[in-house]
Amino acid sequence: MASSSSTRPPPTKVSRSASCLCGAVAITITGVDKGAVLCHCSNCQKSSGSSFAHNYRFLDADLTFDKGEDAVTRYEDGNTTNGNVLARHFCKVCGSNVYLQPCTPPRMFILHTGGMQDKTQPARELFTQNKHPWVGDVTPIKAKV
Protein backbone atom coordinates (compact mmCIF):
# COMPACT_ATOMS: atom_id res chain seq x y z
CA MET A 1 0.00 0.00 0.00
CA ALA A 2 1.43 3.38 -1.00
CA SER A 3 1.74 6.00 1.67
CA SER A 4 -0.02 9.29 1.21
CA SER A 5 1.93 12.50 1.37
CA SER A 6 1.06 14.85 4.19
CA THR A 7 2.85 17.81 2.64
CA ARG A 8 0.81 20.89 1.95
CA PRO A 9 0.76 22.57 -1.43
CA PRO A 10 2.78 25.76 -1.61
CA PRO A 11 0.82 28.82 -0.47
CA THR A 12 -0.95 30.74 -3.18
CA LYS A 13 0.30 34.23 -3.88
CA VAL A 14 -2.23 37.05 -4.22
CA SER A 15 -1.93 40.59 -5.54
CA ARG A 16 -3.49 43.75 -4.16
CA SER A 17 -3.23 47.27 -5.54
CA ALA A 18 -3.34 50.57 -3.71
CA SER A 19 -2.86 54.27 -4.29
CA CYS A 20 -2.42 57.39 -2.20
CA LEU A 21 -5.01 60.12 -1.70
CA CYS A 22 -3.75 62.39 -4.49
CA GLY A 23 -3.07 59.54 -6.93
CA ALA A 24 0.64 60.33 -7.33
CA VAL A 25 1.56 56.84 -6.03
CA ALA A 26 0.10 53.54 -7.21
CA ILE A 27 1.55 50.17 -6.18
CA THR A 28 0.85 46.46 -6.48
CA ILE A 29 2.04 43.98 -3.87
CA THR A 30 2.14 40.25 -4.65
CA GLY A 31 2.82 37.73 -1.93
CA VAL A 32 1.49 35.06 0.37
CA ASP A 33 -1.79 36.23 1.89
CA LYS A 34 -1.48 36.73 5.67
CA GLY A 35 -4.79 38.59 5.85
CA ALA A 36 -5.97 41.89 7.18
CA VAL A 37 -5.57 43.04 10.77
CA LEU A 38 -6.38 46.00 12.94
CA CYS A 39 -3.18 47.15 14.62
CA HIS A 40 -3.64 49.07 17.87
CA CYS A 41 0.09 49.65 18.57
CA SER A 42 0.86 53.20 19.61
CA ASN A 43 3.03 53.75 16.51
CA CYS A 44 0.20 52.78 14.14
CA GLN A 45 -2.16 55.00 16.13
CA LYS A 46 0.22 57.95 15.73
CA SER A 47 1.08 57.20 12.11
CA SER A 48 -2.55 56.79 11.05
CA GLY A 49 -3.82 59.66 13.19
CA SER A 50 -6.52 57.29 14.38
CA SER A 51 -7.26 54.65 17.01
CA PHE A 52 -5.77 51.84 14.91
CA ALA A 53 -4.40 51.04 11.47
CA HIS A 54 -6.22 48.65 9.14
CA ASN A 55 -3.38 46.72 7.48
CA TYR A 56 -3.14 43.89 4.96
CA ARG A 57 -0.09 41.64 5.37
CA PHE A 58 1.93 39.74 2.76
CA LEU A 59 4.83 37.32 3.29
CA ASP A 60 7.45 36.36 0.70
CA ALA A 61 6.26 39.45 -1.14
CA ASP A 62 7.29 41.71 -3.96
CA LEU A 63 6.26 45.30 -4.60
CA THR A 64 5.80 46.93 -8.00
CA PHE A 65 5.36 50.65 -8.48
CA ASP A 66 2.68 51.25 -11.08
CA LYS A 67 3.53 54.95 -10.80
CA GLY A 68 5.09 57.47 -8.46
CA GLU A 69 8.13 55.70 -7.00
CA ASP A 70 9.84 59.10 -6.82
CA ALA A 71 6.87 60.49 -4.84
CA VAL A 72 7.42 58.05 -1.97
CA THR A 73 9.49 58.87 1.07
CA ARG A 74 10.33 56.66 4.01
CA TYR A 75 10.58 56.98 7.76
CA GLU A 76 12.51 54.30 9.67
CA ASP A 77 10.53 53.64 12.85
CA GLY A 78 12.87 52.09 15.40
CA ASN A 79 10.59 52.74 18.36
CA THR A 80 8.66 49.49 17.92
CA THR A 81 7.55 47.08 20.63
CA ASN A 82 9.98 44.35 19.53
CA GLY A 83 12.80 46.80 18.71
CA ASN A 84 12.90 45.86 15.01
CA VAL A 85 13.02 48.77 12.59
CA LEU A 86 9.90 49.20 10.47
CA ALA A 87 10.13 51.35 7.33
CA ARG A 88 6.95 53.39 6.91
CA HIS A 89 6.47 54.60 3.33
CA PHE A 90 4.22 57.51 2.49
CA CYS A 91 3.45 59.93 -0.33
CA LYS A 92 5.56 63.11 -0.32
CA VAL A 93 2.77 65.00 -2.08
CA CYS A 94 -0.33 64.27 0.06
CA GLY A 95 1.17 62.51 3.10
CA SER A 96 -0.90 59.32 2.73
CA ASN A 97 0.51 56.20 4.36
CA VAL A 98 1.05 53.70 1.57
CA TYR A 99 2.90 50.65 2.96
CA LEU A 100 5.23 49.38 5.66
CA GLN A 101 8.14 46.98 5.44
CA PRO A 102 10.28 45.45 8.19
CA CYS A 103 13.95 46.25 7.61
CA THR A 104 14.94 42.67 8.46
CA PRO A 105 13.85 39.43 6.73
CA PRO A 106 11.47 37.83 5.86
CA ARG A 107 10.36 39.72 2.75
CA MET A 108 7.14 41.08 4.18
CA PHE A 109 5.01 44.02 3.12
CA ILE A 110 2.15 45.59 5.04
CA LEU A 111 -0.32 47.54 2.93
CA HIS A 112 -2.56 50.20 4.45
CA THR A 113 -6.02 49.08 3.37
CA GLY A 114 -7.39 52.62 3.08
CA GLY A 115 -5.62 52.93 -0.26
CA MET A 116 -6.61 49.48 -1.54
CA GLN A 117 -9.08 49.07 -4.38
CA ASP A 118 -10.55 45.94 -2.73
CA LYS A 119 -11.25 46.44 0.98
CA THR A 120 -10.75 43.36 3.17
CA GLN A 121 -12.37 42.65 6.50
CA PRO A 122 -9.79 42.16 9.25
CA ALA A 123 -9.55 38.70 10.79
CA ARG A 124 -7.43 39.65 13.82
CA GLU A 125 -6.44 42.53 16.06
CA LEU A 126 -2.88 43.18 17.18
CA PHE A 127 -1.63 45.01 20.30
CA THR A 128 -5.07 44.96 21.88
CA GLN A 129 -3.53 46.12 25.16
CA ASN A 130 -3.44 49.57 23.47
CA LYS A 131 -6.98 49.34 22.11
CA HIS A 132 -9.17 52.18 23.27
CA PRO A 133 -12.01 50.71 25.36
CA TRP A 134 -14.65 52.60 23.40
CA VAL A 135 -13.62 51.29 19.95
CA GLY A 136 -16.65 49.47 18.54
CA ASP A 137 -19.03 50.87 21.15
CA VAL A 138 -20.21 54.02 19.42
CA THR A 139 -23.48 54.61 17.60
CA PRO A 140 -22.94 54.92 13.86
CA ILE A 141 -24.31 57.98 12.08
CA LYS A 142 -24.76 58.53 8.39
CA ALA A 143 -22.23 61.19 7.41
CA LYS A 144 -22.93 63.69 4.66
CA VAL A 145 -19.89 64.47 2.56
Side-chain angles (χ1 to χ4, degrees):
M1 183 163 144
S3 65
S4 64
S5 172
S6 63
T7 60
R8 295 182 191 180
T12 303
K13 289 194 172 192
V14 299
S15 291
R16 297 284 187 268
S17 296
S19 60
C20 66
L21 180 62
C22 71
V25 178
I27 62 170
T28 299
I29 296 178
T30 302
V32 176
D33 182 352
K34 293 299 287 179
V37 298
L38 298 182
C39 183
H40 299 278
C41 80
S42 59
N43 292 17
C44 277
Q45 289 173 347
K46 289 177 183 178
S47 174
S48 70
S50 187
S51 298
F52 53 83
H54 184 186
N55 297 327
Y56 197 95
R57 303 163 305 143
F58 302 84
L59 278 179
D60 189 28
D62 296 301
L63 178 137
T64 303
F65 279 92
D66 303 316
K67 71 174 182 174
E69 184 172 3
D70 59 334
V72 172
T73 193
R74 141 189 186 138
Y75 170 70
E76 291 194 1
D77 181 2
N79 188 29
T80 60
T81 302
N82 63 10
N84 294 332
V85 177
L86 184 64
R88 295 177 178 274
H89 297 81
F90 54 96
C91 176
K92 289 190 266 190
V93 179
C94 66
S96 295
N97 291 312
V98 182
Y99 68 95
L100 300 94
Q101 183 180 30
C103 292
T104 56
R107 266 191 7 248
M108 180 177 197
F109 283 94
I110 303 163
L111 185 61
H112 293 287
T113 62
M116 286 175 51
Q117 276 68 13
D118 300 319
K119 306 298 188 240
T120 305
Q121 181 175 345
R124 295 181 50 207
E125 293 181 89
L126 305 175
F127 300 100
T128 56
Q129 68 273 19
N130 296 335
K131 183 177 179 177
H132 299 296
W134 46 261
V135 170
D137 290 337
V138 295
T139 304
I141 61 170
K142 189 170 188 174
K144 294 180 183 177
V145 180

